Amino acid sequence: MPLTVVANIHASTGKAPFVHDELKKLVAPTRNEAGCIRYDLHRDKENDLHFMFYETWASRALWQTHMQAPHLATFLRATDGAVEQFTVNEMEQIA
């Protein structure tokens, strides 16, 4: 069964442009990963510090492999101190 993931990223004040650029770097390599069905980056229209990934993966195991991907580790190192909050929710479709 596919897995939906919602990741909310809140940039620190003054860091939104930098975090935006770093998040965009994740899109192409992630979309090329095994099991990635959807990986879409969004920004809150009312709060430019808030970004959100809406993701669909073929399985939880393949998403967990993504979580260990080198490009994700690079993002986390590059944005250390520039991201105020990063939450990830695994979701299940119910209707």
Side-chain angles (χ1 to χ4, degrees), residues 1-94:
M1 171 173 277
L3 173 69
T4 299
V5 174
V6 177
N8 286 283
I9 302 98
H10 295 265
S12 300
T13 302
K15 300 292 185 177
F18 171 71
V19 172
H20 170 264
D21 291 346
E22 293 300 312
L23 287 168
K24 283 181 68 175
K25 291 178 186 178
L26 295 173
V27 175
T30 299
R31 286 181 176 164
N32 287 322
E33 288 181 51
C36 181
I37 298 168
R38 172 180 219 125
Y39 193 76
D40 297 331
L41 178 60
H42 303 265
R43 180 174 39 213
D44 189 318
K45 291 181 74 160
E46 309 240 340
N47 177 1
D48 69 349
L49 298 175
H50 180 196
F51 301 90
M52 185 266 294
F53 275 113
Y54 182 85
E55 311 172 29
T56 306
W57 293 88
S59 70
R60 186 173 193 275
L62 288 167
W63 171 68
Q64 296 237 305
T65 299
H66 159 69
M67 294 302 289
Q68 303 304 315
H71 54 273
L72 191 55
T74 298
F75 165 79
L76 292 172
R77 281 191 304 275
T79 59
D80 186 34
V83 172
E84 185 173 312
Q85 183 180 12
F86 192 140
T87 59
V88 177
N89 298 94
E90 295 179 49
M91 310 294 287
E92 64 180 329
Q93 186 173 353
I94 57 172

